[in-house]
Amino acid sequence: MADYFEEMGWQPLADGEAPDSLLHFARLLMDFGMFDVLGEDKKLPPPAAKEAVKNLEEKKCSDADEKCTICLKEYTAGEIVKILPCKHDFHPACILPWLEKTNSCPVCRHELPTDDENYEQYRKEKIRAKQREAEIENLHNSMFS
Amino acid sequence: MANNIAAQRIQREFKEVIKSDEVAKCAIRVELVNDNYTELKGEIAGPPDTPYEGGNFVLEIKVPETYPFNPPKVRFITKIWHPNISSVTGAICLDILRDQWAAAMTLRTVLLSLQALMAAAEPDDPQDAVVAKQYKDDQEMFRLTAKHWTAKYAGGPGGNPDFEMKIRRLTDMGVEEDQARVALSSYNWDLERATEQLFS
């Protein structure tokens, strides 16, 4: 049974902790896939997690490198650029203000982790929903092919 | 003013747009309105095989100081009949101009996205509910109406004598032409219902 709670991303109440009715209601909506009622799909995703931003990879530019897609300026040799996990690179002065606004790569929308628990929950749920769909599809194919 | 990030970025984009292939094909164009790069005029050619084909659509583009971290404010100056564009104000409902904006997007990608929106409307996320309803209920009526608007406001080909006649009937009664066109378009060119709405 532990797996079930784990799969749903739930944790037992701590000692003396009371259930949060609002959270339960939100969960009920989520269970029915009604993130749109909560307005989650219309909101700009929250800023990237401070830790993730701090740990971004850096590199020194060589001549051959191209330009920063935020300011469209070409990199000069020896300049330090920040690299996102999706391998897209930017000037620190360009990418840092963006990641303070939202968590995704300006080029490919690859998402960095955030410090927003609700959003992380929503994201997990989205991934799980996709997995479930693939599993059902798989099951269906194995039964009827 | 011309030295902030937004202005510098627009300056660089200008070179990009001017160099690009779309300009050579006359599909999109951007012009400066003032010297400090905060206001621009865009132009989009109506995409082929749509009711907007042959028309030229002018856009007002306002660049915020926080650009490119925030999207430009864009609206149609040329009147257009489209589910995602207000037939009255020209306001546009497009996700990348709101919450789906990304800092690597440019005026070029915005104009190309708008051109794509003209070719493929999203009636389930409408800006103009009346147009969206017509689009869903009566595609042919929508096509004729949009084509008529393109001919009238965007310099597109072909007129529609039947529609023109109905508009003249209303202007003869003292209704302003644009107003008559909106009313008739909204009521599927039913002269009686449009008249009723205008005079009630």
Side-chain angles (χ1 to χ4, degrees):
Chain A
M1 268 322 254
D3 292 314
Y4 174 73
F5 292 111
E6 211 167 275
E7 202 244 336
M8 300 308 284
W10 292 350
Q11 280 167 358
L13 291 175
D15 279 345
E17 192 184 358
D20 183 339
S21 315
L22 198 63
L23 184 67
H24 286 163
F25 182 59
R27 261 184 202 152
L28 182 75
L29 291 177
M30 284 181 198
D31 281 349
F32 286 91
M34 293 166 83
F35 280 102
D36 48 336
V37 172
L38 299 166
E40 204 63 58
D41 57 337
K42 290 266 187 270
K43 274 189 270 175
L44 184 72
K50 293 208 169 58
E51 200 56 29
V53 174
K54 214 175 70 190
N55 295 333
L56 280 183
E57 215 182 305
E58 282 184 351
K59 74 165 182 195
K60 218 179 217 171
C61 264
S62 57
D63 268 328
D65 284 301
E66 291 183 16
K67 59 186 177 185
C68 167
T69 46
I70 294 183
C71 66
L72 304 179
K73 260 186 246 175
E74 268 163 41
Y75 296 130
T76 48
E79 207 171 10
I80 300 284
V81 297
K82 293 263 182 203
I83 307 168
L84 298 194
C86 50
K87 301 297 168 207
H88 290 114
D89 47 23
F90 310 91
H91 289 121
C94 294
I95 190 64
L96 295 181
W98 177 255
L99 293 177
E100 274 168 29
K101 242 174 77 92
T102 189
N103 69 331
S104 62
C105 169
V107 175
C108 68
R109 295 189 200 280
H110 173 86
E111 290 191 68
L112 290 172
T114 70
D115 287 329
D116 184 321
E117 257 177 62
N118 271 337
Y119 182 76
E120 290 301 311
Q121 199 65 42
Y122 165 62
R123 194 155 74 164
K124 260 190 237 161
E125 181 62 32
K126 248 191 340 188
I127 294 168
R128 267 201 295 266
K130 209 178 260 176
Q131 266 172 4
R132 272 198 291 268
E133 214 167 273
E135 274 161 23
I136 290 171
E137 174 84 25
N138 235 334
L139 182 67
H140 184 275
N141 286 348
S142 63
M143 283 165 81
F144 295 104
S145 65
Chain B
M1 255 320 262
N3 279 322
N4 62 28
I5 301 177
Q8 285 182 15
R9 163 86 193 260
I10 296 289
Q11 274 174 306
R12 285 195 198 88
E13 279 189 45
F14 251 86
K15 289 178 198 149
E16 181 202 2
V17 175
I18 289 161
K19 270 195 301 193
S20 69
D21 301 340
E22 293 92 25
V23 172
K25 282 183 268 168
C26 295
I28 58 169
R29 196 155 57 201
V30 187
E31 263 170 51
L32 274 178
V33 172
N34 61 13
D35 287 338
N36 49 18
Y37 294 92
T38 53
E39 222 172 284
L40 304 147
K41 193 179 103 175
E43 274 177 37
I44 305 178
D49 302 320
T50 68
Y52 312 107
E53 182 170 10
N56 186 44
F57 297 85
V58 179
L59 301 151
E60 174 192 85
I61 305 171
K62 288 189 172 160
V63 182
E65 257 175 64
T66 49
Y67 184 79
F69 300 108
N70 286 96
K73 292 185 174 62
V74 186
R75 114 191 145 79
F76 275 82
I77 302 259
T78 306
K79 285 185 175 293
I80 178 170
W81 190 252
H82 186 285
N84 306 104
I85 302 158
S86 165
S87 57
V88 182
T89 63
I92 303 164
C93 178
L94 180 62
D95 55 358
I96 63 156
L97 292 174
R98 296 174 185 204
D99 54 316
Q100 290 298 306
W101 171 255
M105 290 177 178
T106 62
L107 296 176
R108 176 177 163 268
T109 55
V110 167
L111 293 188
L112 291 177
S113 300
L114 285 173
Q115 206 169 32
L117 182 70
M118 287 165 84
E122 301 267 3
D124 291 324
D125 190 14
Q127 176 77 33
D128 196 311
V130 176
V131 186
K133 191 173 181 311
Q134 186 185 67
Y135 182 93
K136 282 182 166 180
D137 295 349
D138 192 343
Q139 276 274 342
E140 182 57 16
M141 179 61 74
F142 164 79
R143 203 186 58 79
L144 288 173
T145 308
K147 201 165 157 45
H148 170 73
W149 280 55
T150 305
K152 212 64 215 171
Y153 296 114
N160 189 318
D162 177 42
F163 291 177
E164 293 294 345
M165 186 270 289
K166 285 176 175 163
I167 289 170
R168 216 168 316 120
R169 290 275 293 276
L170 284 173
T171 52
D172 286 347
M173 287 189 260
V175 180
E176 211 217 317
E177 191 187 318
D178 287 346
Q179 222 183 337
R181 183 169 293 109
V182 171
L184 282 162
S185 300
S186 305
Y187 287 101
N188 294 344
W189 299 90
D190 180 331
L191 187 57
E192 230 165 87
R193 285 178 63 205
T195 315
E196 211 171 278
Q197 188 256 328
L198 283 165
F199 290 97
S200 65

